[in-house]
Amino acid sequence: HRGGPRAGPRVCLRSLHGSSLVDVSRRWCPECAYGAGEAESGDGVHCCEARLLDGDGQPAHAVAPGAELALELSLEFTEAMRDLSFSFVVRRATDGLVAYDGNYGTDELGLGAIEAGSRLRLTFPHRANLTRGQYAYEVGMFDRVQSRRRLWARGAAGVRIDEQRTYAGVADLDLRATAAVENPAELVLA
């Protein structure tokens, strides 16, 4: 879906077949993904690029459960900041269910103060232990000094997980099954 009653360009997750490089100034289609919030300039920071890559560094469009992925962001700072928390959220695109929500602080990433005019390449390598479906990525940045959100990039990237084992849920447990007949002599055939 493109366009619609709202002003401004929007991107439907279903139409991202050929690209995982998402123009973060666009909105996700409200019929297909959770919300239609903008992933654009925040307060003192601008997300100028977001890419979802597979384990070979190629754009990820559709992958199997357990695939190695990396969400890469390029953030441009217009203000000096320190003591930040970066949020990494994955939602099932069809209903907005949170499949994962984790945070990393600048201290954990070995970052000190970030000067105005700096560009930060932020990478979140992860394993997509998800069941079949479409998933949308969100990234946020919270200023712990001023106790306020500086950026929320809803719809930073999207991916489709392809598999045919599961019926419902979001977690891929890498389930395996085995079967063995313990006493073949006692089998009675009718």
Side-chain angles (χ1 to χ4, degrees):
H1 307 8
R2 290 189 183 272
R6 290 194 178 152
R10 293 186 297 177
V11 174
C12 170
L13 185 60
R14 288 184 215 145
S15 66
L16 289 176
H17 304 289
S19 175
S20 62
L21 175 60
V22 177
D23 176 354
V24 295
S25 65
R26 297 182 182 193
R27 296 183 214 166
W28 289 97
C29 171
E31 292 123 34
C32 305
Y34 177 80
E38 298 202 13
E40 57 187 31
S41 291
D43 182 8
V45 64
H46 175 74
C47 182
C48 40
E49 183 181 35
R51 302 184 316 153
L52 185 63
L53 304 172
D54 65 17
D56 295 324
Q58 299 301 309
H61 314 294
V63 299
E68 290 287 337
L69 298 175
L71 179 63
E72 285 188 355
L73 300 144
S74 182
L75 304 175
E76 208 169 82
F77 287 78
T78 57
E79 292 179 25
M81 295 184 208
R82 62 182 176 82
D83 199 15
L84 303 169
S85 178
F86 298 97
S87 299
F88 174 89
V89 179
V90 178
R91 292 183 186 270
R92 187 168 50 198
T94 52
D95 61 2
L97 177 75
V98 174
Y100 185 84
D101 184 347
N103 299 281
Y104 278 89
T106 48
D107 53 337
E108 293 175 274
L109 297 170
L111 297 173
I114 301 169
E115 298 300 320
S118 296
R119 185 173 272 204
L120 176 67
R121 172 73 57 184
L122 183 61
T123 306
F124 292 101
H126 60 285
R127 186 175 298 276
N129 289 324
L130 300 165
T131 59
R132 69 175 152 191
Q134 296 176 355
Y135 294 88
Y137 287 77
E138 300 176 10
V139 176
M141 190 178 84
F142 186 79
D143 186 330
R144 295 187 290 202
V145 173
Q146 296 187 11
S147 191
R148 64 185 172 125
R149 183 173 16 182
R150 292 290 198 141
L151 174 73
W152 195 261
R154 185 174 283 170
V159 70
R160 188 181 75 232
I161 305 295
D162 289 337
E163 58 92 7
Q164 299 302 314
R165 166 98 34 230
T166 61
Y167 172 73
V170 295
D172 175 53
L173 303 179
D174 194 21
L175 179 69
R176 292 172 294 285
T178 62
V181 176
E182 292 182 356
N183 191 350
E186 293 181 8
L187 286 178
V188 178
L189 300 176

